[in-house]
Amino acid sequence: MSGILSMILAGGEGTRLAPLTGIRAKPAVPFGGNYRIIDFVLNNFVNSDLLQIFVLTQFKSHSLLKHMSRRWRVTGLTNRFIDPIPAQMQTGKHWYQGTADAIFQNLDVIEGVDPELVCVFGGDHIYKMDVRQMIQFHQDTGAKLTVAAIPVPVEQAHQFGVIEVDASGKMIGFQEKPKADPKTIPGNPNMVLASMGNYVFDAKTLTESLRYDAEQAESVHDFGHNIIPLLYAQGDVYVYDFSTNIIRGEPDQSRGYWRDVGTIDSYYEANMDLISVIPPIDLYNRYWPLRSYHPAVPPAKFVHDEANRTGQAICSMISGGCIVSGSIVYQSILGYNVHVHSHAYVDRCVIMGGNDIGRGSRIRRAIIDKDVVIAPNTVIGEDPEQDRQRFHVSKEGVVVIPKGARVGF
């Protein structure tokens, strides 16, 4: 995979994921107990043997940079790197104006590597992808730009770039986040073909189109709004069907799994996917290891075996350092170093780590950020009106407690 440079866009504000993004960038939000959201795209590139990676950061980047320095470092290998690049105002005194401008402001680092192809991927989605297969499709078709795509329900079309393709896979139409009348998939009026925000460019095409776009005063300097419409009209843009991507050891039902965890409810549901009996995305595939930073913590512990006081976790994932002490954890995910005290009940929750759940507490359908302390006998998730007075509650009724909160004291 020499001659291929990867650029990961990891600088967005992630406002729809607030309050989880109140102090951190969206790609740095913890996910699945042991991971951060950005770990998934990084593992996709590393497992695909693509080890020339720049990660572009901007808003609230400290947590992301700290995570990368702890886990995602490549040393001692010539021409192999995973380097974060903070926004540097290379082209003037302004931050990145859009996704295309983020790459444009870093053309100097691209040209310094002198690649043949450039992969431009988002840093905030949950999925597995062998990127080599998309690159092979790009080369086989002779495309100048290849866009990865998946089917999504038509009611979600306003959240995505909607694509039309011909029988050969060439893009013949594109609508960026249409508010009305999106083009549906022929023969399936309930679905549209949506861009995943993952692109493979010929390096020359990328640099030329970005320079042209930078000169257009009316442009918003975004790949979806400006670059894709510019290039597909020239007839050299092809669409890669993500559902054809095959990973060794993955069951057929996992193929095509991709989640944009841009809202609290989508983030919550993606976490709940992990604890299904047969999860649509498998963390346990030994042929596709999912690396992340793992702190030095002891194994999880379950203590007490008495009547009405037995430490147990059912249909859950429990990370290292956790103590489930005479309490019940049901259909939940616990990050590192969570202590659930006796007679507490945790039901369908995502608890990120460093938390203390007080004795006798009942918590249902909640996301609890790091370092939150819950007082004994606190009840969360049973009275929607009371919850809304105290916490952020999503459209689907998921309660969110921000990092470092002390609840019930």
Side-chain angles (χ1 to χ4, degrees):
M1 293 289 106
S2 62
I4 301 173
L5 176 66
S6 304
M7 309 282 285
I8 297 175
L9 298 169
E13 288 187 85
T15 53
R16 295 183 301 154
L17 204 54
L20 302 180
T21 50
I23 58 168
R24 58 169 79 91
K26 179 180 170 185
V29 172
F31 182 86
N34 288 10
Y35 307 97
R36 304 280 181 139
I37 291 173
I38 197 169
D39 289 331
F40 287 82
V41 66
L42 284 169
N43 277 294
N44 288 337
F45 281 113
V46 171
N47 287 335
S48 300
D49 196 30
L50 293 163
L51 289 170
Q52 295 186 342
I53 304 170
F54 289 124
V55 179
L56 308 188
T57 68
Q58 182 164 236
F59 294 103
K60 301 174 183 175
S61 61
H62 175 70
S63 180
L64 178 59
L65 295 173
K66 184 178 178 180
H67 174 68
M68 290 189 61
S69 70
R70 286 175 165 177
R71 181 61 186 93
W72 294 103
R73 300 176 67 180
V74 178
T75 58
L77 295 175
T78 303
N79 295 327
R80 298 292 183 266
F81 54 84
I82 303 175
D83 290 347
I85 303 181
Q88 302 175 77
M89 298 188 179
Q90 293 278 20
T91 61
K93 292 186 177 180
H94 57 81
W95 299 114
Y96 299 146
Q97 303 298 299
T99 54
D101 184 57
I103 303 298
F104 174 73
Q105 289 199 37
N106 290 284
L107 284 183
D108 60 324
V109 299
I110 296 176
E111 291 169 344
V113 176
D114 190 25
E116 297 176 15
L117 301 178
V118 180
C119 301
V120 180
F121 278 43
D124 51 7
H125 303 124
I126 305 300
Y127 66 111
K128 294 182 184 180
M129 180 182 190
D130 186 340
V131 186
R132 291 169 295 193
Q133 296 172 31
M134 182 176 175
I135 291 170
Q136 188 64 56
F137 174 85
H138 176 86
Q139 294 172 328
D140 290 345
T141 58
K144 292 183 177 179
L145 163 62
T146 296
V147 180
I150 54 168
V152 301
V154 67
E155 58 268 19
Q156 298 178 18
H158 65 283
Q159 302 176 31
F160 299 96
V162 175
I163 297 168
E164 292 179 82
V165 297
D166 65 14
S168 69
K170 182 180 290 187
M171 184 182 294
I172 58 173
F174 185 82
Q175 301 168 289
E176 176 64 6
K177 298 180 180 179
K179 295 182 180 179
D181 300 321
K183 297 291 185 180
T184 58
I185 296 174
N188 190 347
N190 298 319
M191 304 291 285
V192 299
L193 189 62
S195 168
M196 296 167 58
N198 292 350
Y199 315 116
V200 177
F201 283 91
D202 283 354
K204 182 180 179 182
T205 298
L206 176 63
T207 56
E208 289 178 350
S209 60
L210 290 178
R211 287 195 170 99
Y212 173 82
D213 177 72
E215 296 173 352
Q216 310 308 307
E218 73 282 2
S219 175
V220 295
H221 310 301
D222 180 81
F223 281 108
H225 281 98
N226 307 110
I227 303 300
I228 294 176
L230 171 69
L231 293 177
Y232 97 77
Q234 300 173 12
D236 296 313
V237 178
Y238 281 77
V239 180
Y240 175 69
D241 182 356
F242 175 57
S243 68
T244 66
N245 198 264
I246 299 173
I247 292 175
R248 182 184 179 190
E250 294 288 309
D252 289 342
Q253 61 265 29
S254 296
R255 193 177 301 173
Y257 181 91
W258 180 86
R259 293 292 181 270
D260 178 2
V261 288
T263 66
I264 291 297
D265 289 319
S266 62
Y267 170 86
Y268 176 81
E269 291 301 327
N271 272 277
M272 292 295 104
D273 284 345
L274 300 178
I275 54 177
S276 304
V277 176
I278 303 176
I281 181 168
D282 184 7
L283 303 181
Y284 302 89
N285 182 355
R286 65 189 180 95
Y287 300 111
W288 197 264
L290 292 174
R291 305 160 187 84
S292 188
Y293 168 70
H294 299 290
V297 295
K301 182 169 68 171
F302 302 80
V303 294
H304 299 303
D305 185 13
E306 306 168 7
N308 300 317
R309 193 189 180 207
T310 301
Q312 56 186 309
I314 304 164
C315 298
S316 298
M317 295 197 311
I318 311 298
S319 300
C322 290
I323 302 174
V324 180
S325 175
S327 52
I328 297 175
V329 176
Y330 180 69
Q331 287 191 345
S332 296
I333 296 175
L334 272 57
Y336 298 111
N337 296 325
V338 177
H339 191 164
V340 186
H341 291 269
S342 291
H343 306 295
Y345 184 65
V346 175
D347 175 22
R348 293 167 294 163
C349 292
V350 178
I351 302 179
M352 292 187 179
N355 310 96
D356 193 274
I357 310 300
R359 184 184 182 95
S361 295
R362 298 196 308 275
I363 307 173
R364 303 176 190 273
R365 280 178 53 80
I367 300 170
I368 301 178
D369 208 333
K370 288 188 170 185
D371 304 325
V372 171
V373 179
I374 308 291
N377 301 310
T378 299
V379 177
I380 297 171
E382 295 184 4
D383 186 331
E385 292 304 317
Q386 186 181 67
D387 288 334
R388 288 188 177 89
Q389 292 175 12
R390 298 184 295 168
F391 311 114
H392 176 92
V393 180
S394 74
K395 291 181 179 179
E396 299 297 324
V398 177
V399 179
V400 186
I401 301 176
K403 183 177 179 179
R406 294 177 60 84
V407 179
F409 291 95

